[in-house]
């Protein structure tokens, strides 16, 4: 047994007293979770003025925020914009004719259609009609989304350099085409942390029918940021978060008993070594303990009334579906989870788009619209930003010949997202594309612009949110990014 | 490291309001600011300020440079901005200290961080003292400084301590006392082997009172196989080791574990670092490269590869070359070379041109950009067959038999040819119609297929072509990985079953449209018809109608037509009509889809040159010849290809209009089966000889083909000529006719035919022996080097200047005498005067053993990196390492033998105040275990660890659904499908899927394997607690630990003590005993009342539950073990 001098003993005793107070523990745990250390190095900025309760790297926001949280709905695989929200009557008229060479220009094609010498136009696979006060044109395959168009802000001119899923999807999430950089959610968690002490700041959902495209954990990893900023995947089944359930033969009370022993033993170790990591570790265990309750609670939808479940459609009663994930996204938003990434695979309709596009619409249309409506009726939409869309769009010409197997290839020049909620204009459409939905005729919205705007809506200046890795101050928006003021409410 | 140390500050400051700690938090991160009397050093004080604030606009990047001013170079700075000794006359000082925002530098608008007053003062003082520039410290070749004097000589073990102690004395600090022996053996064992010591090892050390007891332990550890494993786990971060592809599909069936095992063995054999690295960078280029040297080059191939369908081949080929440049930059030089991909480096002397020059060493890799998934059984690019002794012997025997058969064949030909020459005169005396008849007869006998493309016929429903099984229908059960459980010496896949599998399924192949399909009958009685989609037969052919191509039509010959492997002689001819000059269009294609490996042969028109491939895998393992002359446009050209079954380009002949065509041999390396293997096809299926529209191929738009024939042997020249011009062939070629007719007679001689059959059998036996062995992807350059270009913004298709391969010559010059290849690169790296390589490596070993590097940014030695805290020590170690012959074990031994390493790691108040980050080393190291160690430690202390070294990667526990995120038809095996042996191997054998890294490891900061990661952060997250509390891998370990103890000790206190000791390698103190005693009693009582709960708790994992042990005690002690194992001492190194 070692001699502990009086001074150290005093410190240890004070620490123990501190650890025993619940609020202290919580605060400490949160500081841990959010990596609050960086607060210390950060001088308060002169602008902005909104002080944050939560412990991210920013002590105060750069601007008054328009939203407190983000729900990113990523339709992985690429929704055809001309079969959803970018209505082009010209395609009807010119069905089967060649896309004019002047329109096609010299843009990059994927190697799947680069070999073609013919580019026949394919009309929308289903009719469009106008909806709402805003008169937005929506494919009849999206009847539920059609009902909420006056809450939506369409951007028709998203653009990306990439013609393949892997780089384009990484670009959408991380602002860079190669793996290794943090995704949006990790940046936001790093910047402004969470206001909920019992749930992670960044949560990720995956669903879908696997076709040519897959989910990739680097879309919710932490990249070069420390791992505490990584998205925590919520899963279907017994463990909504990996290992959040006690083992068989152990209930919460037993767990509490063990944690108390761990805590006491850890403190004793701390008395010996004074290792300053130990209090941090103890607080981490306390946060884990709270997650053991809060996570199953948030994942349990048994108390949701039928009328709410019915809003999301029949799939909501099955765990792991897109509909269930939309409902859970709402439940997490209610609990102030900062960034919720809802990723759904489908849509990669290189062939058989007529057979495959409608069922994909059926799977996502109702739940997506329900999420917006549900947030709205709870008053949450006003401070939640919802972003819905893909890593790129699809060509208005056929990949291969026009026959009963017709499909569309990848198209990065212009594609459509819709946004809803905090800070964006409802019932609004931004950007114009040409008659063939092949090029933007108004300035494009780059992915970096969308990121800059998303951060702005949260009250963050994208140029001032940096992290130094390997000697360079990195940003979500790399060296680009322009605020799309036009869409701000 | 930064994160965790930072958290200290929060915890303590909230606690005691002890702000003093915060003041010291940045100690040694920041250079001490200059007091006027002190000398201001450019490297330590000035460059950091300039680099952070000025270089973006006044630094190495020529494109973003403002006003032509460089502040990183003395000449430019003196010319424009600095007058040495005269701050008032220096524009720079005037600007930085100006109150006028319009004049001030850095421009307030552009800079988030204005210069502080202290920084301005330091810069001013530097100019006053003469503004002396020095090269960046890391770019100066290190020298050994004299060992510093210290008064603590009695504690000094080696040179390290002299440097450390002298510095401590200067700071008024004292080293901590040596750690107690329990702590010491625990620390050194974990540090050198990644595993904890066993209790007998601890006891032996405690009992050993000899003065060199510690050294004996160190020597034992360095000699133990676990050392090499631990070092290999480290090297995996540098080599970005993973067996999956990354990118979109992330297929994971690559064979790389032999390389991983080589790394383990190299470390265990203590291969010198320069040799270790040279083999990995250039082993294939070494004279008479051995199998081992070639295997080492897998280092260059173990990076990512794409199988995404739309991927542009060149784009990804470039990506791989740049990836390798990054690995060299970050792995050996600790420079962020990747920053120069789009522009000159902003801070370091790496021009964009230098970066591409570096990538030039790797730009000739003989590999594709778009890869077939590994489950196609085709590994693209250079490979090393991974054979064992039995297979090697089998292959050797097959090759000996082949040589015998070849000799027999040559002899038969010689004899037959002699006879033919004797007899040919008689034949040629006959009328030419007789001669022609002989040629015709010979051709008739060899003809196996003929398609005149004159007519079409409807296809009856029952004769529609059928698709084989498609992905998603019935994935074969063994698709976990072809390398798992596949016996390399077992029988090759059953080719008939392969063919049969192709027949499975009801869909039309390649999504063909029923209404658009017709037959085009064979010209031979009973021959299989061709299938045409959107048949476009019309007049204007070489004879009658021909098949012309639109954008979309296509077709294929009878499925058995042309189904030849590389062992089989065959020929075909056809007439080709090129409507224009085609960039690269297919004429005939008898290959798998690219997604299925692309094995087979094809004839293309490349700018209308005839381009014929016969391939196992593109581009490394194939024959490829290209005609020197293009075929003319807008006329019919007769094209013939003959092949003798030799697998050599010399055995392949192209004829244009009956005459041999001169060719360029692009590739002449075909060593494995070239038969399509489409049972593994992912997307489209093999249907036979195809033409027209095909996935990823460009059609011959408006062109046509006609009169296709296939022959079952290599035709002779007279036969080819006859195919082209009929009887005129024997009428007009009198000069060569004798020779050619003799050749024809020879080919038909029964002795030659019989010897040919035997030769085929021997070739096929050799083919079967070599074609199905697993292969490791290794490095080899293409036969013709590729030109490298600077790429604008890194875009593969926007080429700027061409560059030659060269390393980073602004960092260290490239000796013009060294070869400009990867061997030269290795020589440049390991030149004793190279300022970086040795420093970088010794610093990383220091980081590994002490928790952080002397240069904390062990991944960045550039201007933006942190500065060494003990520069003289770093340099001394670097030079010493080179002088020792790059002896890694010696270096590791020196560090762990040092008194510095052996200090107690307890934190005292004085240390907390003076040096909270322990950069001065007044105490020993203290750190959380790495992700691998956390798991390995739990397995080791529980006795579950299986110590087998090497072999295929294993798939330990993973919850359902974690892994199945992708398109690939793999699944994670369920625990019950795996033997406990696989579950309980060291973590470096755990399979790492790039896009789905193991979550339990990721939360402990396991390195991503997308690129080199030289330094891991250490983060704190509650997910770590969830893993240690609830992950079955750990629960099983706690139960095994409890079981082991219960079988050894009867007394409850003894049980607790043993659990504690196994978990922490020390005895619990009284207070700890009291807690645990209470908890044990409580759990015993609880489980006694609820035996069912006890049963549930212990039934976890795959290791059998020992029924001889009382389940209540097992459950209770399991929880005691869990509690102890969850305390920080049990998963930290201290």
């Amino acid at each position: 047994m070692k001699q502990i001098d009086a001074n150290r003993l005093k410190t240890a005793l004070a620490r123990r007293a501190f650890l025993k107070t619940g609020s202290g523990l919580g605060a400490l745990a949160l500081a841990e979770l959010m990596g609050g250390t960086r607060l210390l190095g950060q001088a308060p900025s002169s602008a902005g003025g909104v002080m944050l309760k939560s412990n991210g790297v920013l002590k105060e926001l750069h601007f008054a925020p328009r939203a407190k949280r983000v729900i990113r709905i990523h339709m992985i695989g690429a929704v055809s914009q001309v079969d959803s929200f970018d209505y082009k009557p010209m395609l009807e008229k010119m069905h089967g004719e060649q896309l004019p060479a002047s329109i096609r220009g010299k843009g990059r094609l994927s190697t799947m259609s680069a070999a073609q010498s013919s580019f026949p136009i394919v009309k929308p696979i289903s009719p469009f009609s106008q909806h709402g006060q805003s008169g937005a044109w929506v494919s009849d395959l999206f009847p539920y989304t059609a009902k909420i168009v006056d809450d939506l802000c369409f951007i028709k001119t998203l653009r990306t350099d990439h013609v393949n899923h892997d780089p384009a999807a990484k670009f959408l999430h991380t602002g860079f085409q190669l793996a290794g950089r943090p995704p949006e959610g990790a940046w936001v968690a790093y910047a402004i942390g969470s206001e909920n002490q019992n749930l992670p700041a960044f949560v990720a959902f995956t669903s879908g029918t696997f076709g040519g495209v897959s989910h990739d954990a680097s879309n919710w990893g932490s990249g070069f940021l420390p791992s505490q900023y990584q998205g925590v995947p919520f899963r279907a089944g017994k463990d909504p978060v990996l290992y959040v359930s006690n083992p068989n033969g152990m209930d919460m009370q037993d767990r509490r008993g063990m944690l108390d022993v761990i805590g006491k033993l850890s403190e004793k170790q701390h008395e010996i070594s004074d290792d300053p990591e130990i209090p941090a570790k103890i607080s981490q265990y306390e946060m884990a303990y709270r997650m053991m309750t809060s996570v199953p609670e948030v994942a349990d939808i048994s108390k949701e009334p039928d009328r709410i479940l019915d809003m999301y459609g029949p799939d909501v009663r099955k765990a792991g579906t897109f509909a269930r994930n939309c409902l859970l996204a709402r439940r997490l938003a209610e609990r102030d989870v900062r960034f919720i990434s809802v990723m759904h695979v489908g849509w990669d309709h290189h062939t058989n788009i007529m057979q495959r596009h409608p069922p994909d619409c059926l799977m996502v249309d109702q739940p997506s619209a329900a999420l917006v409506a549900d947030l709205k009726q709870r008053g949450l939409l006003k401070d939640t930003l919802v972003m819905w869309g893909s890593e790129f769009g699809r060509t208005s010409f056929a990949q291969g010949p026009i026959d009963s197997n017709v499909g569309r290839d990848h198209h990065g020049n212009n594609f459509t997202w819709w946004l809803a909620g905090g800070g964006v204009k409802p019932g609004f459409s931004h950007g114009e594309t040409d008659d063939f939905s092949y090029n933007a005729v108004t300035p494009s919205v780059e992915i970096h612009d969308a990121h800059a705007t998303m951060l702005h809506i949260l009250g963050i200046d994208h140029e001032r949110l940096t992290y130094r890795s390997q000697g360079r101050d990195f940003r979500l928006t790399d060296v680009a990014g322009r605020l799309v003021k036009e869409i701000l409410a | 490291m930064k994160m965790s140390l930072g958290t200290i500050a929060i915890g303590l400051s909230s606690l005691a309001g002890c702000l003093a700690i915060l003041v010291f938090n940045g100690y040694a991160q920041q250079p001490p600011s200059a007091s006027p009397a002190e000398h201001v050093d450019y490297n330590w004080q000035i460059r950091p300020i300039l680099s952070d604030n000025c270089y973006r606009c006044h630094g190495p990047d020529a494109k973003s440079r403002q006003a032509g001013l460089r502040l990183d170079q003395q000449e430019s700075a003196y010319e424009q901005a600095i007058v040495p000794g005269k701050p008032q006359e220096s524009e720079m000082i005037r600007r930085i200290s100006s109150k006028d925002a319009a004049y001030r530098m850095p421009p307030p608008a552009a800079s988030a961080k204005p210069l502080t007053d202290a920084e301005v003062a330091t810069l001013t003082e530097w100019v006053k003292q003469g503004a002396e520039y020095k090269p960046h410290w890391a770019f100066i070749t290190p020298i050994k400084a004299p060992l510093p004097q210290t008064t603590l000589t009695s504690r000094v073990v080696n040179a390290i301590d002299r440097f450390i102690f002298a510095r401590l004395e200067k700071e008024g600090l004292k080293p901590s006392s040596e750690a107690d022996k329990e702590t010491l053996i625990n620390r050194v064992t974990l540090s050198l082997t990644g595993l904890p010591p066993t209790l007998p090892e601890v006891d032996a050390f405690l009992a050993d009172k000899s003065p060199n007891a510690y050294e004996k332990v160190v020597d034992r550890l360095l000699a133990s196989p676990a050392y090499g494993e631990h070092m290999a786990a480290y090297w995996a971060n540098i080599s970005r080791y993973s067996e999956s592809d990354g990118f979109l599909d992330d297929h994971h069936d690559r064979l790389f574990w032999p390389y991983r095992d080589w790394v383990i063995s190299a470390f265990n054999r203590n291969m010198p670092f320069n040799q270790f690295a040279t083999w990995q960078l250039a082993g294939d280029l070494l004279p008479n490269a051995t199998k081992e040297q070639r295997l080492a080059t897998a280092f260059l191939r173990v990076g990512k590869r794409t199988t995404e369908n739309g991927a542009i081949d060149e784009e990804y080929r470039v990506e791989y070359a740049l990836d390798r440049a990054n690995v060299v930059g970050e792995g050996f030089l600790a420079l962020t070379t990747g920053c120069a991909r789009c522009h000159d480096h902003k801070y370091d002397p790496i021009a964009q041109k230098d970066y591409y020059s570096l990538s030039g060493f790797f730009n000739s890799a003989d590999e594709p950009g778009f890869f077939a998934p590994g489950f196609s059984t085709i590994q693209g690019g250079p490979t090393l067959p991974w054979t064992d002794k039995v297979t090697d012997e089998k292959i050797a025997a097959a090759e000996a038999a082949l040589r015998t058969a070849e000799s027999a064949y040559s002899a038969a030909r010689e004899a037959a040819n002699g006879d033919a020459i004797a007899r040919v005169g008689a034949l040629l005396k006959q009328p030419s119609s007789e001669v022609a008849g002989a040629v015709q007869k010979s051709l008739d006998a060899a003809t196996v297929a003929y398609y005149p493309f004159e007519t079409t016929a409807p296809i009856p429903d029952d004769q529609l072509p059928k698709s084989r099984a498609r992905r998603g229908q019935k994935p074969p059960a063994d698709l976990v990985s072809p390398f798992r459980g596949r016996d390399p010496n077992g029988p090759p896949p059953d080719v008939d079953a392969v063919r049969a599998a192709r027949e499975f399924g009801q869909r039309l192949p390649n999504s063909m449209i029923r209404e658009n399909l017709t037959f085009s009958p064979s010209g031979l009685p009973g021959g299989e018809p061709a299938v045409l989609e959107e048949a476009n037969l019309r007049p204007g052919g070489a004879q009658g109608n021909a098949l012309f191509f639109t954008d979309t039509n296509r077709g294929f010959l009878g499925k058995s037509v042309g189904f030849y492997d590389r062992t089989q002689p065959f020929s075909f001819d056809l007439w080709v009509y090129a409507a224009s000059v085609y960039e690269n269009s297919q004429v005939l294609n008898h290959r798998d889809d690219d997604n299925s490996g692309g094995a087979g042969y094809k004839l293309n028109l490349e700018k209308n040159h005839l381009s014929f491939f016969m391939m196992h895998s593109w581009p490394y393992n194939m024959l490829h010849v290209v005609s020197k002359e293009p075929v003319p446009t807008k006329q019919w050209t007769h094209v013939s290809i003959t092949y003798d079954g030799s697998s050599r380009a010399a055995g392949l002949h192209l004829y244009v209009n009956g005459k041999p065509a001169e060719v360029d041999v692009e590739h002449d390396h075909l060593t494995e089966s070239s038969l399509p293997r489409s049972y593994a096809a992912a997307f489209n299926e093999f249907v036979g000889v195809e033409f027209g529209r095909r996935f990823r191929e460009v059609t011959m738009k408006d062109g046509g083909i006609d009169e296709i024939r296939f022959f079952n042997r290599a035709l002779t020249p007279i036969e080819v000529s006859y195919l082209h011009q009929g009887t005129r062939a024997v009428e007009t070629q009198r000069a060569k006719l004798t020779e050619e007719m003799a050749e024809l007679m020879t080919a038909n001689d029964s002795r030659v035919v019989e010897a040919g059959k035997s030769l085929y059998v021997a070739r096929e036996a050799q083919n079967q022996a070599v074609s199905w062995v697993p292969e490791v992807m290794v490095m080899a350059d293409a036969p013709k080097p590729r030109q490298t270009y600077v790429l604008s913004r890194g875009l593969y298709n926007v080429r700027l200047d061409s560059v030659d391969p060269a390393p980073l010559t602004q960092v260290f010059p490239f000796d013009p005498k060294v070869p400009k290849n990867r061997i030269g690169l290795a020589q440049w790296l390991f030149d004793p005067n190279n300022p970086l390589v040795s420093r970088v490596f010794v610093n990383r070993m220091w980081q590994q053993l002490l928790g952080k590097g002397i240069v904390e940014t062990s991944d960045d030695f550039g201007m933006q990196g942190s500065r060494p805290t003990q520069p003289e020590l770093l340099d001394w170690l670097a030079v010493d390492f080179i002088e020792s012959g790059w002896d890694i074990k010696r270096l590791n031994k020196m560090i762990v033998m040092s008194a510095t390493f052996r200090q107690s790691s307890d934190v005292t108040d004085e240390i907390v105040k003076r040096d909270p980050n322990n950069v001065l080393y007044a105490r020993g190291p203290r750190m959380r275990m790495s992700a691998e160690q956390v798991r390995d430690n739990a397995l080791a202390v529980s006795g579950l660890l299986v110590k087998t070294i090497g072999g295929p990667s294993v798939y330990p526990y993973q919850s359902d659904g974690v892994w199945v995120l992708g398109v690939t038809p793999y699944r994670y095996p369920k625990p019950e499908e795996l033997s406990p042996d696989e579950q309980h191997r060291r973590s470096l054998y755990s399979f790492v899927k790039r896009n789905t890294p193991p979550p339990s490891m990721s939360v402990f900061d396991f390195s991503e394997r997308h690129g080199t990661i030289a330094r891991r952060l250490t983060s704190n997250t509650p997910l770590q607690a969830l893993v240690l509390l609830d992950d079955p891998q750990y629960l099983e370990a706690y139960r095994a630990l409890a079981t082991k103890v219960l079988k050894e000790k009867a007394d409850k206190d003894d049980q607790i003590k043993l659990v504690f000791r196994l978990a922490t390698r020390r005895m619990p103190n009284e207070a700890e005993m009291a807690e645990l005693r209470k908890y044990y009693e409580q759990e015993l009582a609880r489980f006694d009342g609820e035996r069912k709960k006890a049963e549930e708790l212990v039934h976890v994992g795959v290791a059998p539950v020992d029924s001889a042990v009382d389940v209540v005690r097992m459950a209770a002690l399991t929880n005691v073990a869990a509690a102890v194992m969850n305390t920080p001492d049990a998963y930290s190194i201290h």
Side-chain angles (χ1 to χ4, degrees), chain B residues 409-716:
Chain B
Y409 182 71
S410 297
R413 273 191 58 95
E414 214 169 297
N417 198 242
D419 290 358
I421 287 167
R423 287 190 291 120
V424 68
L427 174 63
L428 290 180
K429 286 196 186 99
Q430 305 285 322
S432 59
S433 62
E434 284 294 315
V435 180
V439 179
Q440 180 71 50
K441 194 177 149 216
S442 170
L443 279 169
D444 286 347
T447 305
V448 290
Y450 170 45
Y451 294 92
F453 294 125
E454 292 303 320
T455 57
T456 61
I459 305 183
D461 281 347
D462 62 348
Q463 290 177 43
L464 278 172
K466 287 196 181 81
S467 168
R468 45 153 206 93
R470 292 179 80 85
R471 188 167 48 88
Q473 280 183 309
K474 266 189 193 168
D478 63 355
L479 273 185
V480 171
S481 168
F483 300 115
R484 288 192 82 246
R486 188 169 128 190
D487 176 6
N489 307 312
D494 178 346
V495 178
D496 285 335
V498 168
R499 292 185 200 207
R502 210 180 298 132
E503 306 300 329
F504 179 83
Q506 295 303 314
R507 291 175 56 158
L508 290 167
N510 284 325
S511 309
M512 287 175 168
I513 308 285
R514 166 73 175 103
E515 308 84 76
N516 296 342
L517 299 182
T518 51
F519 277 152
S520 186
S522 166
L524 298 182
E528 292 173 277
V531 175
L532 302 182
E533 188 175 36
E534 298 173 28
N536 188 24
L537 303 186
R538 53 180 169 81
Q543 284 175 39
N545 286 342
L547 175 66
F548 287 91
F549 296 112
T550 63
D551 286 325
T552 56
N553 66 335
R554 56 179 165 168
F556 50 92
L557 307 180
K559 227 180 251 184
S560 61
V561 173
F563 197 72
Y564 297 119
D565 203 342
R566 67 182 177 102
T567 50
Q568 234 164 332
F570 72 99
S571 306
F572 65 88
D573 78 316
L574 78 165
W575 290 79
V576 177
Y577 181 84
S580 57
V581 177
Y582 301 111
E583 190 57 33
N584 189 1
S585 289
Q586 72 157 347
V587 181
L588 285 185
N589 205 324
H590 185 269
R591 289 168 63 231
D592 272 328
D593 183 81
D594 290 324
N595 297 88
S596 314
Y601 56 87
K602 73 169 175 177
L603 176 64
N604 271 31
L605 286 177
E606 282 178 29
K607 297 194 166 71
N608 286 13
H609 294 264
L610 291 162
S611 173
F612 186 75
F613 300 81
M614 182 180 291
M615 53 185 105
H616 168 72
S617 76
W618 186 81
Y620 173 73
N621 199 324
M622 67 177 187
L623 307 180
H624 181 204
V625 296
V626 181
S627 70
K628 286 190 191 288
E629 295 298 321
V631 298
T633 57
K634 302 201 189 301
Q635 66 186 68
W636 286 99
T637 303
H638 182 247
V639 174
S640 308
I641 310 270
T642 69
Y643 171 64
D644 67 358
S646 65
S647 301
R648 284 188 280 269
L652 196 57
H653 296 283
L654 261 65
Y655 296 83
V656 173
N657 291 332
K659 294 195 183 70
E662 272 196 77
V663 296
D664 287 319
V665 176
E666 299 287 330
H667 263 85
D668 191 4
H669 178 77
L670 178 63
T671 61
E672 290 179 62
S673 171
S674 60
L675 206 61
R677 306 176 168 198
S678 63
Y679 65 97
F683 291 85
N684 300 313
E685 50 271 278
F686 176 77
V687 286
V689 176
E690 282 189 274
F691 35 84
R693 176 163 66 92
R694 179 180 151 115
F695 189 54
R696 297 177 70 93
E697 293 282 352
V698 182
T699 194
M700 274 172 62
K701 191 172 186 246
D702 301 325
I705 55 174
D706 202 1
E707 305 295 317
I708 302 178
R709 289 182 187 80
F710 273 82
F711 308 90
N712 62 7
R713 62 174 169 77
L715 297 184
T716 62

Side-chain angles (χ1 to χ4, degrees), chain A residues 2 108 111 117-118 164-165 211 214-215 217 227-228 243 254-255 264 269 273 277 281 284-285 405 468, chain B residues 4 52 248 308-310 315 511 551 906-907 926 966-967 995 1019-1020 1030 1075 1086 1126-1127 1129 1131:
Chain A
K2 307 196 176 207
R108 264 177 99 182
T111 48
S117 51
S118 162
N164 285 300
H165 297 291
S214 38
H215 288 292
S227 70
Q228 66 256 41
Y243 313 125
D254 306 330
R255 175 56 82 204
K264 282 177 195 151
Q269 289 173 5
S273 68
E277 279 288 286
K281 293 270 187 308
Q284 186 177 292
Y285 274 77
N405 295 330
R468 178 163 291 194
Chain B
S4 55
D52 245 12
L248 185 79
E308 179 165 4
N309 249 318
E315 179 177 15
S511 309
D551 286 325
D906 288 356
V907 185
R926 178 170 277 282
V967 295
N995 290 359
S1019 45
N1020 273 324
D1030 296 333
E1075 280 301 334
R1086 178 164 80 81
N1126 272 278
T1127 62
D1129 271 9
Y1131 58 95

Side-chain angles (χ1 to χ4, degrees), chain A residues 274-296:
Chain A
D274 242 354
D275 180 359
E277 279 288 286
I278 294 176
K281 293 270 187 308
I282 297 173
S283 67
Q284 186 177 292
Y285 274 77
E286 291 303 323
M287 170 90 184
Y289 178 69
R290 292 196 303 277
M291 280 175 67
M292 289 177 187
T293 313
S294 61
V295 167

Side-chain angles (χ1 to χ4, degrees), chain B residues 712-761:
Chain B
N712 62 7
R713 62 174 169 77
L715 297 184
T716 62
I718 189 68
E719 290 169 297
V720 173
S721 179
Y722 186 88
L723 286 169
H724 172 241
Q725 53 181 347
T727 52
R728 275 189 296 144
V730 296
E731 291 158 5
T732 56
Q733 291 192 4
R734 308 305 308 183
K736 288 173 82 183
L737 196 58
T738 307
E739 186 191 324
E740 292 191 352
M741 284 308 292
E743 174 64 23
L744 177 85
M745 291 161 73
T746 304
N748 285 301
D749 186 293
S750 62
R751 289 165 293 180
V752 173
V753 172
E754 285 310 309
K757 283 180 188 164
S758 304
L759 177 57
Y760 168 70
V761 169

Side-chain angles (χ1 to χ4, degrees), chain B residues 880-1040:
Chain B
D880 192 61
F881 182 50
I882 297 172
E883 288 172 353
S884 77
W886 307 86
D887 185 335
I888 301 172
K889 279 192 182 178
R890 181 176 172 279
L891 170 67
N892 279 322
K893 181 171 175 181
M894 196 190 314
I895 298 174
V896 299
M897 286 304 295
S898 72
T900 303
F901 177 85
R902 284 147 75 170
Q903 294 172 90
S904 161
S905 65
D906 288 356
V907 185
T908 65
D909 279 358
E910 189 183 18
I911 293 174
V912 165
K913 278 189 193 141
R914 293 291 311 278
D915 184 19
N917 291 354
N918 198 31
V919 293
L920 300 175
Y921 302 104
R923 64 169 170 84
R926 178 170 277 282
M927 57 190 137
R928 196 201 67 213
M929 290 176 184
S930 68
E932 293 93 327
Q933 283 174 320
V934 170
R935 180 174 167 277
D936 294 355
N937 178 59
L939 291 175
V941 303
S942 68
L944 289 173
L945 184 70
V946 173
K947 290 193 172 172
T948 312
I949 293 177
S953 290
V954 296
Y955 299 69
Y957 288 122
Q958 184 136 206
S959 289
D960 272 354
V962 167
W963 224 38
V964 190
L965 293 165
V967 295
T968 52
Y970 315 103
R971 61 194 180 83
Y972 210 86
K974 292 187 184 306
E976 60 270 21
E977 294 168 354
L978 295 171
S979 73
D981 282 3
E982 290 201 17
Q983 302 279 15
H984 300 138
R985 300 280 304 279
R986 290 191 72 171
S987 299
L988 93 147
Y989 301 117
S990 291
F991 184 80
V992 176
K993 194 160 165 67
R994 281 198 160 95
N995 290 359
T996 322
S1000 297
M1001 306 266 279
S1002 286
V1003 300
F1004 285 103
D1005 305 288
F1006 183 70
S1007 56
E1008 287 195 328
R1009 296 290 161 82
H1010 296 293
T1012 294
I1013 301 282
R1015 182 167 62 118
R1016 294 184 187 181
L1017 300 172
T1018 306
S1019 45
N1020 273 324
T1021 139
L1023 302 180
Q1024 292 167 355
L1026 292 179
V1027 168
L1028 294 186
L1029 290 172
D1030 296 333
D1031 180 343
Q1033 184 94 70
Y1034 290 90
L1035 296 174
E1036 180 187 42
Y1038 306 150
R1039 184 254 294 167

